[in-house]
């Protein structure tokens, strides 16, 4: 087994534990046991880039995680296969993140819930069991959404009229079954709750509105209990959260401890980038105290931090905010606040003075935060193979160290334009 970078004793024990614990899956009605190898032969040939334990678990993942949310709308199956081959075979990525809701945006003409999982499932089927076994496949179950086409797509044909998306036990198990079917696999390595069933400010909102609290929210313990059942059935291996608050994380800690699955709670996937550093405070403390690793999403603020949307910078007709200017409005050049635009310009200036591109600065800042560097993984996506190459380039070799002057300059901009893309 080859791992790029140093291996500490915990990681060595984790590799051994993974080999032992993954020998748990029985094959259909034959009763035989299939041993699931710890690392992929495809990945091992190029080494896992920046291998680390995810949170406090035995799950070993690469420092970079391949994001998939554009597959099925902005990218077709051939694009996705090329991205997967490049990331896995050439760049040492063993971690792939998807969701039952993907692709996005949901208003795109081609959108269909589960389409991204189907594309990834076709790839997993094409590479065979041995190579799939050594990849860490993560998906997400959608939270509360009334009259949801995502919930409808859990059945074949889709349920009519669309039911509400909830996180009760029946819905969680139905979502898992649908994801397993689409992914053409027998288990999901990391199953995440995409957003809570209860009301919580998400996706850029920063103010808790008391009048939005719903009395019928599904208790976290019920959701966690359903996930425990799925773990015991061998259908999922670890649990992750997403778009959660410090209160939510604390309640998940309490519930998983009560249910005896605390060691399976691995990660949280929240927004984190130079324009949205809300994780730096209460969530950083909460997750650090409980060994929960961060999987930051939108590290480039939908591409805005790359600088490609400046006039004359060369954004193509297929670029996200050219094709869908109303999507992620807080980061779209057409609707982003003046303070957001000013911050982007300032970060680009800092990057130039440090001899870096804006993309390199943005990625280097995220990957060197302790809550990512110690036990998290950076979600990296792209709409073209050329973008993916650029976005994965910073993960070659040792992490870039941002010196004190660069960090001070970044923090000065942050204090002047504090989380400018968030709104009330």
């Amino acid at each position: 087994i080859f791992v790029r970078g140093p291996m500490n004793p915990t990681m060595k024990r984790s590799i051994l534990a993974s080999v032992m614990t993954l020998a748990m899956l029985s094959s259909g009605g034959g009763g035989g046991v299939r041993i699931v190898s710890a690392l992929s032969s495809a990945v091992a040939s190029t080494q896992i880039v920046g291998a680390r334990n995810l949170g406090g678990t035995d799950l070993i993942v690469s420092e970079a995680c391949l994001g998939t949310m554009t597959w099925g709308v902005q990218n077709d199956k051939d694009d996705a296969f090329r991205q997967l081959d490049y990331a896995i075979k050439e760049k040492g990525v063993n971690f792939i993140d998807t969701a039952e809701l993907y692709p996005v945006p949901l208003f795109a003409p081609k959108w269909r819930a589960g389409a991204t999982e189907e594309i990834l499932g076709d790839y997993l089927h094409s590479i065979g069991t041995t190579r799939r076994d050594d990849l860490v496949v993560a998906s997400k179950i959608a939270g509360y959404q009334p009259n949801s086409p995502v919930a409808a797509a859990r059945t074949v044909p889709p349920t009519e009229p669309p039911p509400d998306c909830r996180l009760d036990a029946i819905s969680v198990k139905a979502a898992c079954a649908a994801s397993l079917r689409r992914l053409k696999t027998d288990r999901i390595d990391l199953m995440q709750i995409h957003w809570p069933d209860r009301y919580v400010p998400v996706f850029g909102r920063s103010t808790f509105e008391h009048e939005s609290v719903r009395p019928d929210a599904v208790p976290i313990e019920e959701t966690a209990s359903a996930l425990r059942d799925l773990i015991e059935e061998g259908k999922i291996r670890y649990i992750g959260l997403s778009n959660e608050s410090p209160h939510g994380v604390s309640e998940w800690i309490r519930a998983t401890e009560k249910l005896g699955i605390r060691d399976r709670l691995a990660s949280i996937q929240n927004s984190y980038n130079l324009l949205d550093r809300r994780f730096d405070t209460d969530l950083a403390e909460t997750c650090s105290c409980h060994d929960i690793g961060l999987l930051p999403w939108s590290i480039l603020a939908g591409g805005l931090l790359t600088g490609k949307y400046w006039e004359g910078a060369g954004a193509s007709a297929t670029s996200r905010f050219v094709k869908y200017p109303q999507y992620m409005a807080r980061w779209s050049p057409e609707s982003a606040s003046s303070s957001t635009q000013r911050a982007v310009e300032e970060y680009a200036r800092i990057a130039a003075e440090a001899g870096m591109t804006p993309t390199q600065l943005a990625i280097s800042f995220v990957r060197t935060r302790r809550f990512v560097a110690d036990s998290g993984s950076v979600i990296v996506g792209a709409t073209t193979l050329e973008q993916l190459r650029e976005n994965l380039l910073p993960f070659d070799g040792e992490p870039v160290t941002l010196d004190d002057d660069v960090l001070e300059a970044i923090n000065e901009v942050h204090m002047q334009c504090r989380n400018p893309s968030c709104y009330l």
Side-chain angles (χ1 to χ4, degrees), residues 327-408:
Y327 181 57
M328 288 184 170
R330 63 192 182 280
W331 293 325
S332 175
E334 289 192 3
S335 52
S337 67
S338 59
S339 57
T340 295
Q341 301 279 18
R342 184 168 68 253
V344 171
E345 293 173 0
E346 286 298 302
Y347 290 132
R349 176 187 59 79
I350 294 169
E353 291 175 355
M356 308 170 73
T357 67
T359 298
Q360 290 170 337
L361 179 74
I363 293 176
S364 295
F365 178 78
V366 171
R367 69 186 292 227
T368 52
R369 301 308 89 199
R370 284 285 300 275
F371 39 75
V372 176
D374 286 356
S375 60
S377 182
V378 182
I379 300 175
V380 175
T383 53
T384 68
L385 189 57
E386 291 71 25
Q387 287 177 357
L388 186 61
R389 288 193 178 101
E390 180 182 4
N391 293 347
L392 287 177
L393 185 61
F395 297 93
D396 286 343
E398 295 299 316
V400 173
T401 300
L402 300 178
D403 62 35
D404 291 343
D405 290 341
V406 172
L407 288 174
E408 182 178 354

Side-chain angles (χ1 to χ4, degrees), residues 232-245:
E232 292 175 348
E233 294 167 8
K235 295 177 180 177
I236 67 174
R237 293 178 59 205
Y238 293 89
I239 300 168
L241 310 177
S242 183
N243 300 299
E244 259 297 2
S245 68

